[in-house]
């Protein structure tokens, strides 16, 4: 017996057997029952959703001599029998992809003059109609608008936007929908039962997702999987046959990211790449997975998940563990990675950095954040660094301080730094980095460092670095006053530090450098901006700016107000000649110089 692929063997022959297009089939059946038929129809939609199939069923139904009460063809009359046996002279199919010239359309127009030999109508089904040339469309226009009473045109296309508006205005348009995953799974189940093939629902879900809304594609993939699995379609065999990345990897990556286990994620990424999967494909699949987890957090958006029931339960379980803020930031990071992936020369490194940042979203902050972007990469070896620090480091410095002070700088105590005591946003790592304890080599109980050797014998005071407290300020007064010069200095220092902490704020940082903060009344500060857009950008990081100024100006009551300046009067742009005339009026020597050298304006 000749083998027929499932896409042809189980092709619908009635409106009731069409999957996923209930609204359209009901409309067509009602048109057949009432006899209110248009002279031209346009069926449009993605591939493999039943456009040509519905066109054939509709053509058979309108020529049926004894239609049923539901508007279906009877399949018993001579017209239906001739159509089923592919010998009907009243239904013509034309492939516009290969018959797209004016001559082909003229030949078609000549056939419309001949009335049907059996039945009421001559039906012309033109598939892929968007492939017709512009001249062919124009030759088709008049006949399409006013065809003979016995002619009906059914046009089918996957690219509606390529059809001329003059053609669209002459047709009844039916937009076919993509097949849902659940609808595809149910249809594959029925096909598998008819074929006597065992299956796992998760395996059919993978096939449905791979088909991307096309039933014909789903049936073709189903045949391929059935051949590979030898009559028992399992999940593992399907992902192996289709070379699909196991969704278990995505669940594991998110679980590890929530737990900040960067090392485990790197090992998992390496195993995925060693299996032959592309890093960009992993990022795309992970972004889709995170989107599904986000949809699973709310019962209202849960129906948007096009997955099997078992997968939906797993998404709901992970959604309970994942914070919404974490999911939002992870999606943004993966979207940025997807945009930069093609241009990157080191694609694997880009993917690794993205996964590291995702894994550190839920990690406690380790510094003052003045921006709205994601946290910068934290040290992967923070625990190792903390373990390596000797517990007696502070007492040793304290003990050596009286001796070292005779020959070296005084080292301020870490615990007395107001930046760490007044700001809870600074972690232990930031205190170490902002006020480092220099390693020293002990000789006979005396502590020496490279700074001691360089500065020994010098009594001149070292100017403090902007943003780092001087030794005399290790115990500042509470809420001390500050001058306009100090404010401008710390403002500029802050603007220079912002791009280092968040590269997405380079633009606003450069604008802030040109702004002049003014002390209205200590500790109140005002800054004037040019327009509302800049004000909105600065308000997004206003809290970080205020905390930074409070920290470095040693005043916790500082407030910052952003004011939009009045729009300046329109300035007339002068031409070169007008500029020269203005200069000549202000300085007659310019005109005298021009006359002496006999110069002319270009």
């Amino acid at each position: 017996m000749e083998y027929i692929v499932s896409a042809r063997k189980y092709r619908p022959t009635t409106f009731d057997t069409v999957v996923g297009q209930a609204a359209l089939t009901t409309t067509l059946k009602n048109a057949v029952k009432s006899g209110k038929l248009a002279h031209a129809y346009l069926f449009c939609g993605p591939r493999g959703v039943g456009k040509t199939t519905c066109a054939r069923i509709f053509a058979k139904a309108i020529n049926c001599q004894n239609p049923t009460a539901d508007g279906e063809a009877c399949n018993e009359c001579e017209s239906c029998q001739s159509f089923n046996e592919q010998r009907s002279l009243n239904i013509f199919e034309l492939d516009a992809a290969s018959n797209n010239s004016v001559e082909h359309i003229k030949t078609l127009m000549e056939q419309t003059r001949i009335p049907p030999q059996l039945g009421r109508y001559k039906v012309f089904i033109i598939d892929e109609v968007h492939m017709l040339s512009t001249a062919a469309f124009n030759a088709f226009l008049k006949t399409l608008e006013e065809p003979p009473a016995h002619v009906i045109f059914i046009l089918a296309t996957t690219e509606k936007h390529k059809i001329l508006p003059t053609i669209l205005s002459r047709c009844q348009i039916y937009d076919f929908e993509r097949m849902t995953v659940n609808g595809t799974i149910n249809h594959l189940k029925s096909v598998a039962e008819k074929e006597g093939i065992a299956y796992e629902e998760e395996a059919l879900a993978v096939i449905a997702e791979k088909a991307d809304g096309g039933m014909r594609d789903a049936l073709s993939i189903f045949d391929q999987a059935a051949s590979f699995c030898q009559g028992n379609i399992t999940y593992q065999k399907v992902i192996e046959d289709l070379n699909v990345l196991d969704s278990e990897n995505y669940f594991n990556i998110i679980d590890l990211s929530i737990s900040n286990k960067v090392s485990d994620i790197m090992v998992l990424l390496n195993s995925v790449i060693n299996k032959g999967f592309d890093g960009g494909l992993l990022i795309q699949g992970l972004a889709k997975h995170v989107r599904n987890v986000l949809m699973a957090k709310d019962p209202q958006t849960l129906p948007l998940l096009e997955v099997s029931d078992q997968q939906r339960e797993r998404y709901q379980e992970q959604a309970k563990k994942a914070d919404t803020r974490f999911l939002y930031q992870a999606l943004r990071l993966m979207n940025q990675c997807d945009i930069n992936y093609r241009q990157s020369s080191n694609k694997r490194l880009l993917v690794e950095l993205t996964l590291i940042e995702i894994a550190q979203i839920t990690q406690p902050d380790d510094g003052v954040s003045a921006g709205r972007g994601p946290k910068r990469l934290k040290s992967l070896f923070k625990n190792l660094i903390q373990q390596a620090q000797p517990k007696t480091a502070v007492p040793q410095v304290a003990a050596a301080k009286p001796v070292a002070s005779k020959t070296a700088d005084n080292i301020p105590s870490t615990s007395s730094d107001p930046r760490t005591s007044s700001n809870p946003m600074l972690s232990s790592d930031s205190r170490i980095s902002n006020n480092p304890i220099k390693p020293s080599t002990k000789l006979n109980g005396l502590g020496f460092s490279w700074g001691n050797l360089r500065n020994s014998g010098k009594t001149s005071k070292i100017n403090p670095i902007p943003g780092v407290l001087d030794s005399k300020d290790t115990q500042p007064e509470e809420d001390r006053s500050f001058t306009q010069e100090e404010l401008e200095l710390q403002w500029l220092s802050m603007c220079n530090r912002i791009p280092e902490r968040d590269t997405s704020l380079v633009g606003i940082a450069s604008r802030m450098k040109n702004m002049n903060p003014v002390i209205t009344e200590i500790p109140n500060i005002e800054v004037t901006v040019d327009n509302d857009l800049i004000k909105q950008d600065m308000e997004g990081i206003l809290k970080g700016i205020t905390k930074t100024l409070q920290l470095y100006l040693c005043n916790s009551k500082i407030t910052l107000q952003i004011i939009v300046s009045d729009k300046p009067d329109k300035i007339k742009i002068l031409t070169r000649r007008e500029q020269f005339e203005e200069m000549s009026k202000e300085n007659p020597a310019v005109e005298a110089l021009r006359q002496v050298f006999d110069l002319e304006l270009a």
Side-chain angles (χ1 to χ4, degrees):
M1 184 177 179
E2 182 183 359
Y3 172 74
I4 302 176
V5 296
S6 298
R8 291 178 55 197
K9 185 176 181 179
Y10 296 99
R11 191 168 196 166
T13 56
T14 61
F15 285 122
D16 290 337
T17 56
V18 176
V19 180
Q21 310 295 343
L24 298 182
T25 55
T26 302
T27 305
L28 295 176
K29 285 195 295 184
N30 291 339
V32 173
K33 286 192 298 183
S34 63
K36 297 179 179 179
L37 302 174
H39 63 275
Y41 295 86
L42 175 64
F43 294 170
C44 50
R47 67 185 189 280
V49 295
K51 300 184 297 297
T52 306
T53 298
C54 286
R56 292 176 179 175
I57 297 172
F58 186 49
K60 182 172 70 171
I62 60 181
N63 269 327
C64 180
Q65 297 173 349
N66 301 306
T68 64
D70 294 335
E72 297 276 9
C74 67
N75 282 322
E76 296 178 357
C77 64
E78 177 60 26
S79 176
C80 293
Q81 290 291 336
S82 62
F83 177 82
N84 293 338
E85 297 172 4
Q86 298 182 359
R87 56 181 177 83
S88 175
L89 299 178
N90 295 338
I91 300 175
F92 299 88
E93 285 195 39
L94 178 69
D95 181 21
S98 55
N99 301 278
N100 55 6
S101 64
V102 177
E103 288 75 15
H104 293 116
I105 295 298
K106 288 182 178 179
T107 303
L108 181 67
M109 297 303 101
E110 292 176 358
Q111 294 180 5
T112 60
R113 301 176 184 176
I114 305 173
Q117 301 301 314
L118 181 66
R120 298 175 54 191
Y121 297 99
K122 264 196 170 182
V123 182
F124 294 87
I125 301 174
I126 305 179
D127 205 2
E128 303 298 336
V129 69
H130 66 274
M131 299 293 288
L132 290 177
S133 63
T134 304
F137 269 130
N138 292 330
F140 188 36
L141 277 176
K142 188 61 179 177
T143 306
L144 185 63
E145 184 176 13
E146 297 177 358
H150 58 269
V151 172
I152 291 179
F153 291 104
I154 303 178
L155 314 179
T157 179
T158 55
E159 301 184 39
K160 174 183 172 182
H161 60 279
K162 291 186 178 180
I163 300 178
L164 297 179
T166 49
I167 296 291
L168 297 176
S169 64
R170 289 165 167 80
C171 301
Q172 280 191 9
I173 301 175
Y174 290 78
D175 290 306
F176 283 68
E177 300 176 356
R178 291 175 63 253
M179 297 293 173
T180 62
V181 173
N182 289 331
T184 304
I185 292 174
N186 293 332
H187 187 63
L188 293 179
K189 285 181 181 179
S190 64
V191 172
E193 292 171 357
K194 293 176 183 178
E195 293 291 330
I197 299 175
Y199 61 86
E200 293 180 0
E201 186 172 348
E202 289 186 358
L204 299 184
V206 173
I207 295 175
E209 292 177 9
K210 187 78 172 178
D212 194 24
M215 185 62 71
R216 182 172 60 237
D217 292 354
L219 291 172
S220 299
I221 298 172
F222 176 82
D223 288 344
Q224 176 184 341
S227 298
F228 180 78
C229 300
Q230 292 296 314
N232 184 16
I233 301 178
T234 62
Y235 176 77
Q236 290 298 331
K237 290 183 179 179
V238 167
I239 63 175
E240 180 183 353
D241 180 38
L242 302 181
N243 196 30
V244 176
L245 187 60
D246 191 354
S247 60
E248 190 67 25
N249 293 299
Y250 302 137
F251 284 103
N252 291 338
I253 289 176
I254 297 303
D255 288 338
L256 294 173
S257 297
I258 295 174
S259 304
N260 309 127
K261 297 182 179 179
V262 177
S263 302
D264 294 340
I265 295 177
M266 293 297 100
V267 174
L268 179 58
L269 172 64
N270 183 68
S271 65
V272 168
I273 294 178
N274 288 340
K275 292 178 182 178
F277 292 100
D278 183 59
L281 180 65
L282 174 67
I283 291 295
Q284 294 173 8
L286 186 60
K288 183 178 179 181
H289 174 85
V290 173
R291 176 260 182 194
N292 289 343
V293 175
L294 188 61
M295 295 299 105
K297 292 187 72 69
D298 193 337
Q300 293 182 348
T301 57
L302 189 60
L304 298 179
L305 296 182
E306 295 185 346
V307 294
S308 62
D309 295 337
Q310 296 177 351
Q311 289 286 86
R312 183 177 285 105
E313 293 178 0
R314 292 203 62 187
Y315 280 120
Q316 286 180 295
E317 292 176 2
Q318 192 167 73
K320 295 176 182 178
K321 298 185 293 184
D323 183 58
T324 304
R325 173 179 165 274
F326 164 78
L327 297 175
Y328 280 139
Q329 293 198 20
L331 277 175
R332 193 172 65 82
L333 289 171
M334 287 183 286
N335 182 60
Q336 191 66 30
C337 176
D338 188 37
I339 293 173
N340 298 331
Y341 188 78
R342 290 186 180 180
Q343 290 78 21
S344 176
S345 58
N346 194 340
K347 294 179 170 37
R348 176 165 180 167
L349 179 61
L350 176 64
V351 174
E352 289 176 343
L353 288 175
T354 301
L355 294 178
I356 291 172
E357 287 191 89
I358 293 173
Q360 294 181 340
I361 292 176
T362 57
Q363 187 170 320
D365 200 356
D366 61 353
V368 178
S369 177
R372 297 163 294 174
K375 300 179 181 70
R376 308 325 306 157
L377 292 178
K378 306 174 183 69
S379 174
L380 297 180
F381 310 102
K382 183 170 73 173
N383 295 331
L384 297 177
I385 293 175
Q386 290 177 346
Q387 294 173 4
Q389 292 289 342
K391 296 182 179 180
T392 58
V394 175
Q396 288 176 357
V397 174
K401 182 176 180 180
V403 179
S405 61
K406 297 179 182 180
T407 58
D409 304 336
N410 290 331
I411 302 176
S413 175
T414 305
S415 60
S416 63
D417 193 342
R419 292 174 293 170
T420 60
S421 59
S422 62
N423 194 340
M425 297 176 63
L426 290 176
S427 64
S428 59
D429 290 337
S430 62
R431 290 196 297 267
I432 293 173
S433 62
N434 288 334
N435 195 5
I437 299 176
K438 299 179 181 180
S440 61
T441 304
K442 290 198 171 185
L443 297 175
N444 298 328
L446 297 178
F448 292 94
S449 65
W450 292 110
N452 294 339
L453 296 177
R454 281 196 304 267
N455 301 320
S456 59
K458 295 183 180 180
T459 58
S460 59
K461 181 180 178 181
I462 301 175
N463 293 328
I465 301 174
V468 178
L469 297 179
D470 193 12
S471 58
K472 70 177 183 178
D473 296 328
T474 53
Q475 295 180 348
E477 298 179 359
E478 290 294 332
D479 298 335
R480 71 176 183 85
S481 61
F482 52 92
T483 63
Q484 179 68 27
E485 290 76 13
E486 292 176 332
L487 171 62
E488 293 176 357
L489 175 62
Q490 296 303 335
W491 181 272
L492 183 60
S493 300
M494 176 183 63
C495 294
N496 292 330
R497 289 193 302 269
I498 287 178
E500 299 176 0
R501 296 186 177 274
D502 193 343
T503 56
S504 63
L505 300 177
V506 174
I508 187 63
S510 62
R511 293 193 188 99
M512 289 171 58
K513 289 182 182 179
N514 298 325
M515 300 176 186
N516 295 319
V518 178
I519 302 173
T520 55
E521 182 179 356
I522 293 179
N524 301 322
I525 301 173
E526 283 187 1
V527 62
T528 304
V529 298
D530 294 334
N531 51 59
D532 292 330
L533 293 177
I534 301 177
K535 180 181 179 182
Q536 292 176 4
D537 289 342
M538 290 191 62
E539 286 176 346
I541 58 174
L542 180 60
K543 184 179 294 185
I545 297 174
T546 306
K547 284 185 175 296
T548 303
L549 293 177
Q550 291 174 353
L551 173 67
Y552 289 108
L553 293 175
C554 300
N555 192 319
S556 62
K557 297 181 180 180
I558 288 178
T559 61
L560 179 64
Q561 185 178 6
I562 304 174
I563 301 175
V564 180
S565 64
D566 297 334
K567 294 183 179 179
D569 297 335
K570 294 183 179 179
I571 302 174
K572 180 182 178 182
I573 300 177
L574 303 177
T575 62
R576 294 291 181 86
R577 182 171 294 278
E578 290 174 342
Q579 293 176 3
F580 179 78
E581 291 176 354
E582 291 291 334
M583 291 171 58
S584 301
K585 291 179 181 179
E586 296 178 0
N587 190 355
V590 175
E591 175 63 22
L593 180 65
R594 185 192 69 80
Q595 295 177 358
V596 169
F597 290 98
D598 194 18
L599 301 176
E600 295 182 0
L601 289 177

